[in-house]
């Protein structure tokens, strides 16, 4: 059990440092075909946005986590994506309505945006302000 926790901690740390997706598809080989959730998919769209402080400053390294609120709940290919140096994130997601939560390091806190609707072939902008 202890070895499993250490391996998980090392894997998550490496993913966070490199900006790699965290979750079920993180272990996919680069030779594997991507999941059917990209912008070209007839069943998915893209959510883009920025993670910002209340004063509007971008925050890097925040894990943006979706929670589908529509039924049936679609599978999500990763558990989280990370905001980049400009606070931006981009995430292809299956068609549904989501609540998105940003959890940030360095005690910067978290923020949430609700009722984000993802439609096939469309890009939805959802900025998350930390509170």
């Amino acid at each position: 059990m202890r070895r499993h926790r250490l391996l998980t901690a090392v894997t998550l740390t490496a993913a966070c440092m490199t900006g790699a997706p965290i979750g079920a598809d993180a272990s996919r080989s680069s030779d594997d075909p991507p999941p059917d959730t990209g912008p070209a998919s007839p069943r998915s769209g893209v959510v883009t946005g920025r993670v910002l402080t209340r004063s509007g400053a971008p925050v890097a390294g925040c894990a943006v986590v979706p929670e589908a609120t529509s039924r049936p709940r679609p599978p999500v290919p990763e558990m989280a994506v990370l905001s980049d140096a400009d606070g931006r994130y981009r995430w292809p997601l299956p068609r549904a309505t989501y609540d998105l939560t940003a959890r940030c390091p360095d005690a910067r806190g978290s923020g949430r945006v609700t009722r984000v609707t993802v439609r096939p072939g469309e890009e939805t902008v959802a900025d998350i302000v930390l509170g």
Side-chain angles (χ1 to χ4, degrees):
M1 183 75 157
R2 175 178 252 170
R3 182 178 218 173
H4 176 72
R5 285 186 197 155
L6 177 60
L7 179 58
T8 300
V10 169
T11 302
L12 288 173
T13 301
C16 289
M17 294 177 73
T18 62
I22 301 170
D25 282 354
S27 62
R28 260 190 328 113
S29 163
S30 61
D31 296 332
D32 293 341
D36 188 21
T37 58
S41 169
R43 297 184 311 245
S44 66
V46 177
V47 177
T48 61
R50 297 179 73 194
V51 179
L52 305 164
T53 64
R54 285 186 184 179
S55 64
V59 184
C62 297
V64 178
V65 180
E67 178 184 350
T69 58
S70 54
R71 300 281 190 253
R73 289 185 179 195
V76 177
E78 292 98 17
M79 290 173 47
V81 294
L82 298 176
S83 57
D84 67 14
D86 295 320
R88 296 187 189 286
Y89 70 92
R90 181 181 188 282
W91 200 341
L93 287 170
R95 174 182 53 202
T97 300
Y98 297 89
D99 291 348
L100 299 171
T101 302
R103 294 185 180 99
C104 304
D106 302 330
R108 293 196 180 203
S110 63
R112 186 173 179 94
V113 63
T114 60
R115 299 183 191 146
V116 177
T117 301
V118 175
R119 292 182 177 88
E122 293 183 12
E123 181 175 306
T124 303
V125 178
D127 291 342
I128 303 171
V129 178
L130 303 179

